[in-house]
Amino acid sequence: MASSIVPRPRALSALALPLALALGGCGGAPQPAPAPAQPIMGKSTPEARAAFVRTVEQSLAQCDARTQETNTKLAEVVDKLAGGKPDMAGKPTPPLPEVIRLLAKEKVTVELKILGTAEAPMLMLEDSFMKEGQKLAGAKPKEMQAFAKRAQVVTPLTTTLRDQIFSVNAALGTSLQSQGACVGMGRALPMSLGAWENGGEEVPPEVFAAYAKFLQANARNQAVVAASVALVGVTQAGFAGKDPKAIEVLLEGIKVVKDNPEQISEAQARAVYKAAGQSLIDMCQANLDKYYAEHPEAKKPDGPSPCSKEGLAADREKWNRGPGAPESDASAPKTGIGVIDETVERLVRVEGALKDASAAIDSLKNGDYVGGLKGALKLVGKNVPFGNVLQSVLDLFG
């Protein structure tokens, strides 16, 4: 068995963009003379470089546009939940914490349910006052009059509450939809850049300014998703009898974060792709170790691991010798670039942040508002301003 396999170059899918860049966009088997000389492995073509820059810029535009939309929705929610807007009677609406306190004073219980899926949730309110009204069919006039008198106080509150929760639902839905415009490419780009470097080529410097902006837009998007999830959590907590102060703390924190979004520098963007490149190597090595553990009869290659940068450099050297390199054996283990290719494809499909958001919403669906808030915190992390806000909210629940 060959100690190291250099796979036959082939046309790559969009998911394997990083490998295409590392190979300089070449495809098909090396052709013998007098065909044009094969590209030098590890050196991308100008066309591949320009295409990559366009990909970054297009992804940035899509993510930024959706993030602006979610920011607008979030601003509307904060404004509405803060109260003060005229209701149907022209009176200023109370803020959400006050609505919850007043309903509790009227002995009206409210439950916030989440219907639909974690990917497309729908918030629904159920209140005990509405159920009381449904049971009044055939009641005595005195009971009807007493209910009507209470309705003058309760109905404006439940109407305001439904309007406020509807705005939260709209922000939550919009933010989850916008995740798709940011998260997918947010996962793919650092892996693409890391694979490019592992292929022996420096990433074009013009990429990093756009990539830093992309990371920043992605971070803002995750903050909006986390804020929407957290708003549902603190509202559920208020209905469960917890201090509605948590809502006030969260709303004030959202205002601060909205006006002072997290900033991502080019240096941080470089650090992200460096870490991504190393993770590709680590995952490649894990796959290779697993193969040899399952196939003890397989001979390990001499010299550096095919997954290491040194091993990849050896593969490039073999490639650049020209035609005549051995063809890959279908029965042989895939190593070196072949394994990294599969790793990139798998990582591009990773839904990390989407899964974190879904897990948080699943907690809320089960009435676990603390779990939902912890899920929101996981989305943004503890070392950013909004992470501190969410931690402060969690601290109020002990």
Side-chain angles (χ1 to χ4, degrees):
M1 179 176 297
S3 62
S4 179
I5 303 299
V6 180
R8 181 196 302 271
R10 53 187 172 83
L12 297 172
S13 65
L15 290 176
L17 172 62
L19 183 59
L21 292 171
L23 296 179
C26 58
Q31 300 297 316
Q38 64 176 14
I40 298 176
M41 185 176 174
K43 297 295 182 182
S44 62
T45 64
E47 292 78 12
R49 291 166 64 94
F52 188 84
V53 172
R54 286 197 301 271
T55 297
V56 176
E57 292 174 343
Q58 290 168 1
S59 299
L60 168 63
Q62 293 171 3
C63 177
D64 196 50
R66 298 306 298 269
T67 299
Q68 292 300 328
E69 183 180 354
T70 54
N71 279 339
T72 299
K73 287 289 184 183
L74 187 62
E76 292 173 357
V77 171
V78 171
D79 190 46
K80 185 159 289 189
L81 269 56
K85 299 297 180 182
D87 61 14
M88 296 180 65
K91 297 181 179 179
T93 57
L96 177 59
E98 185 66 15
V99 172
I100 293 175
R101 293 189 185 100
L102 292 173
L103 287 173
K105 182 179 179 181
E106 294 295 326
K107 302 187 183 307
V108 176
T109 59
V110 183
E111 184 178 4
L112 177 57
K113 293 185 175 181
I114 303 179
L115 306 180
T117 65
E119 294 74 25
M122 177 63 68
L123 306 183
M124 185 185 75
L125 283 175
E126 289 186 357
D127 65 83
S128 60
F129 188 71
M130 180 177 291
K131 294 178 180 178
E132 287 179 40
Q134 293 170 349
K135 295 177 181 178
L136 281 178
K140 296 178 181 180
K142 186 176 181 179
E143 294 174 333
M144 296 290 288
Q145 290 174 357
F147 181 81
K149 185 176 181 180
R150 283 190 69 208
Q152 293 178 4
V153 176
V154 174
T155 299
L157 294 174
T158 56
T159 299
T160 296
L161 180 61
R162 281 180 166 76
D163 186 41
Q164 290 171 330
I165 297 302
F166 178 79
S167 69
V168 174
N169 188 80
L172 180 61
T174 301
S175 64
L176 290 173
Q177 290 171 11
S178 70
Q179 260 194 331
C182 293
V183 171
M185 191 57 71
R187 296 282 179 176
L189 283 176
M191 299 307 162
S192 301
L193 296 171
W196 201 339
E197 184 188 69
N198 291 345
E201 183 172 5
E202 286 294 325
V203 178
E206 62 268 24
V207 167
F208 284 105
Y211 182 51
K213 292 178 182 177
F214 180 87
L215 289 176
Q216 189 166 303
N218 195 24
R220 288 200 304 269
N221 180 264
Q222 294 310 310
V224 174
V225 175
S228 302
V229 170
L231 282 171
V232 178
V234 293
T235 303
Q236 282 186 331
F239 293 154
K242 299 296 182 180
D243 190 349
K245 180 182 178 181
I247 301 174
E248 298 171 354
V249 172
L250 180 60
L251 289 176
E252 286 302 313
I254 291 174
K255 290 178 184 177
V256 173
V257 173
K258 183 178 69 68
D259 296 334
N260 299 277
E262 182 181 1
Q263 301 295 318
I264 305 294
S265 67
E266 290 187 34
Q268 288 172 311
R270 289 179 181 273
V272 170
Y273 104 84
K274 290 281 188 181
Q278 184 59 49
S279 72
L280 287 173
I281 291 174
D282 293 343
M283 293 184 71
C284 168
Q285 189 62 53
N287 287 341
L288 195 57
D289 291 344
K290 180 180 178 182
Y291 175 85
Y292 286 121
E294 294 173 350
H295 300 83
E297 74 283 359
K299 180 182 177 182
K300 294 184 179 181
D302 298 326
S305 167
C307 292
S308 66
K309 288 188 176 181
E310 294 78 9
L312 290 172
D315 276 348
R316 289 195 300 274
E317 183 181 355
K318 289 182 180 180
W319 174 278
N320 292 330
R321 291 174 187 168
E327 299 289 346
S328 61
D329 182 350
S331 64
K334 291 183 178 180
T335 60
I337 295 174
V339 175
I340 284 191
D341 180 16
E342 293 178 353
T343 300
V344 171
E345 290 187 14
R346 183 169 58 257
L347 285 174
V348 169
R349 295 193 297 270
V350 169
E351 297 178 350
L354 292 171
K355 290 183 178 179
D356 289 342
S358 295
I361 292 170
D362 281 336
S363 295
L364 297 175
K365 289 183 73 171
N366 295 324
D368 180 10
Y369 51 83
V370 171
L373 288 167
K374 288 181 177 179
L377 179 58
K378 186 178 179 181
L379 275 168
V380 295
K382 297 180 179 181
N383 298 322
V384 297
F386 193 54
N388 295 330
V389 172
L390 292 174
Q391 186 61 60
S392 297
V393 172
L394 278 165
D395 290 344
L396 293 175
F397 299 138

